[in-house]
Amino acid sequence: MTYFIFGLGYSARAVARALGETPGPVVSVSGTTRSSDRSQVLGLEGAFVHVFDGTTPGETLKPSLGDASHVIVSIPPGADGDPVLACHGEDLMRSTTLGWLCYYSTVGVYGDQDGAWIDETATPDPDNERSRHRLEAENQWRRFAAQKKVPLLILRLAGIYGPGRSGFDRLDAGTARRVVKPGQVFNRIHVADIARVTLLGARHRLSGTFNLADDEPAPPQDVVTHAAELLGVEPPPLEDFETAEMTAMARSFYADNKRVSNAAIKRALGIKLTYPTYRQGLDAILHGLSR
């Protein structure tokens, strides 16, 4: 299998590392980053990194993309749609080796569900521009996959956390907050579970749209409290959402309140999550057991 990953950000780098550590035949991995400076510091041994800024076609990536059997897209769309399809859709359509596609979307496409449990049968109703762009990009990729006749896996990801991006880091930086909005819950997903599910999906050429979230949606202040307890430090004070000073971006994340079921992806792959709740995930991060 030959992989090409558009957008070697936090989650996609975990996928690339997992591919490099997978036993068995050598797997070829190529991918993109936005700048040549960044391509030098990714630390992905054995991966060939191209520059693609999402506005114009990448100058060097066509040969690697043309050899790819598995393509993963982890680049956010903009108002003009998906940048990969805009710049390299024709290259993908002409490919004779492409056998599987994966697109990372977000559970934000469901919008606010007033705290109810939802699954993939829920009608998307995004209530912010970012999520509306994601939903349109999902549809663009569905149309492309149908025309190309290749399986497409869309993973709607919950809030991503892991080493270097967790409550521990915010507590260390002094930026952690315990903002309380009564009844508010979020799902999360550990980056290692994103990598694992992506690789299993690729192996089985899974197609369809699936939520990828943990087993236990929880109030955000509970996660901060637990992280502080594990570190043995005092948690930040509780703040009321209505009076808390927050940026418009930060406040927008509290507009969506829902409990996202992950039953479908676990059933499709016959798995349980490695980190089913934030408690297992934080404990593994603290003890250096997860990547």
Side-chain angles (χ1 to χ4, degrees), residues 172-186:
D172 288 343
T175 58
R177 301 178 68 180
R178 291 195 298 165
V179 177
V180 180
K181 184 178 182 183
Q184 180 78 48
V185 294
F186 297 117

Side-chain angles (χ1 to χ4, degrees), residues 23-109:
V26 175
V27 175
S28 173
V29 182
S30 300
T32 72
T33 187
R34 289 188 297 270
S35 70
S36 56
D37 290 342
R38 184 167 173 75
S39 71
Q40 304 301 315
V41 297
L42 288 178
L44 295 174
E45 185 176 352
F48 194 91
V49 181
H50 304 269
V51 175
F52 172 57
D53 65 6
T55 62
T56 58
E59 295 181 357
T60 65
L61 61 78
K62 286 188 178 182
S64 295
L65 186 60
D67 291 337
S69 58
H70 294 64
V71 171
I72 299 166
V73 180
S74 182
I75 295 179
D80 296 328
D82 186 89
V84 173
L85 286 174
C87 294
H88 290 286
E90 291 183 6
D91 298 323
L92 288 168
M93 188 61 71
R94 287 194 296 266
S95 172
T96 59
T97 59
L98 180 63
W100 183 77
L101 288 165
C102 178
Y103 180 73
Y104 288 162
S105 184
T106 170
V107 297
V109 299

Side-chain angles (χ1 to χ4, degrees), residues 184-269:
Q184 180 78 48
V185 294
F186 297 117
N187 284 86
R188 295 149 192 86
I189 188 67
H190 194 292
V191 68
D193 277 314
I194 297 175
R196 178 180 173 225
V197 166
T198 302
L199 266 57
L200 287 172
R203 186 179 305 163
H204 297 287
R205 302 207 178 201
L206 181 66
S207 64
T209 301
F210 296 90
N211 300 326
L212 186 48
D214 61 3
D215 292 355
E216 184 181 321
Q221 66 271 16
D222 289 5
V223 181
V224 178
T225 300
H226 188 67
E229 289 173 349
L230 289 175
L231 290 177
V233 301
E234 191 71 21
L238 295 172
E239 303 176 64
D240 184 87
F241 173 78
E242 297 300 330
T243 57
E245 292 187 5
M246 305 171 69
T247 65
M249 174 70 78
R251 192 168 288 274
S252 72
F253 286 105
Y254 285 80
D256 292 358
N257 184 16
K258 51 185 170 285
R259 292 170 166 84
V260 180
S261 170
N262 59 20
I265 190 67
K266 292 192 295 186
R267 185 168 55 247
L269 294 174

Side-chain angles (χ1 to χ4, degrees), residues 129-195:
E129 190 174 48
R130 297 186 310 277
S131 296
R132 286 192 287 271
H133 292 335
R134 284 287 189 184
L135 186 60
E136 176 53 33
E138 285 186 11
N139 290 329
Q140 286 183 278
W141 279 105
R142 290 189 186 97
R143 291 191 291 269
F144 176 88
Q147 184 177 355
K148 180 66 176 172
K149 295 182 174 60
V150 295
L152 165 68
L153 173 63
I154 294 176
L155 292 176
R156 289 175 172 166
L157 305 177
I160 301 164
Y161 76 103
R165 189 181 289 188
S166 74
F168 299 137
D169 302 281
R170 290 187 290 276
L171 286 165
D172 288 343
T175 58
R177 301 178 68 180
R178 291 195 298 165
V179 177
V180 180
K181 184 178 182 183
Q184 180 78 48
V185 294
F186 297 117
N187 284 86
R188 295 149 192 86
I189 188 67
H190 194 292
V191 68
D193 277 314
I194 297 175

